[in-house]
Amino acid sequence: MQAHLYLDQDSGGGATDVVSTSIGVTRLLNVVTWARGRGLKVLIGEVAVKAGVTNANAAWGNLVAAMTQNSDVVAGWLWWAYGPPAWWGNYQYTLCGNSPQMKLAFPAPTPVPVPVPVPPPKPQATNTISAPRSAA
């Protein structure tokens, strides 16, 4: 099964508003509950958020977390729409290059420090003098 999920007031993606930081999760869970009860998987085949508007970052982060937490039902998601400006002009959801939407959907990962292995200490050299053996 495939569903479209937008976070604006009318759920259609025609506006730029984001209703609340939890609206994506609420709408997703309605679909997930329905699909889980029928043993179905769901692909979120269209999803987009206008970067820079009130609630956008938090709403997107919450939605991604909810999709991940429900990965037994949510098979994945596809952003609407990708392409260079020549294709879409100034379309509000264009995901391209260094666009605000690209930064929202795929933020730069936070570097995780990698521990540097510490070599074990070298054995201490010992100066042992042995007494000469007697010939027998």
Side-chain angles (χ1 to χ4, degrees), residues 45-98:
E46 268 188 35
V47 64
V49 178
K50 173 76 173 156
V53 300
T54 303
N55 297 326
N57 287 9
W60 177 248
N62 292 339
L63 178 57
V64 169
M67 289 189 286
T68 302
Q69 290 166 356
N70 289 281
S71 61
D72 61 311
V73 174
V74 179
W77 56 270
L78 305 169
W79 188 274
W80 176 260
Y82 178 80
W87 294 358
W88 294 97
N90 290 325
Y91 182 61
Q92 66 189 8
Y93 296 135
T94 300
L95 185 68
C96 180
N98 208 18

Side-chain angles (χ1 to χ4, degrees), residues 27-68:
R27 291 174 179 168
L28 176 74
L29 292 181
N30 287 331
V31 173
V32 165
T33 301
W34 179 88
R36 185 176 281 130
R38 289 162 178 74
L40 300 172
K41 297 277 187 182
V42 177
L43 171 67
I44 304 303
E46 268 188 35
V47 64
V49 178
K50 173 76 173 156
V53 300
T54 303
N55 297 326
N57 287 9
W60 177 248
N62 292 339
L63 178 57
V64 169
M67 289 189 286
T68 302

Side-chain angles (χ1 to χ4, degrees), residues 7-9 16-21 23 49-50 53-56 59:
L7 311 183
D8 58 338
Q9 187 68 38
T16 61
D17 65 304
V18 176
V19 174
S20 70
T21 59
I23 191 64
V49 178
K50 173 76 173 156
V53 300
T54 303
N55 297 326

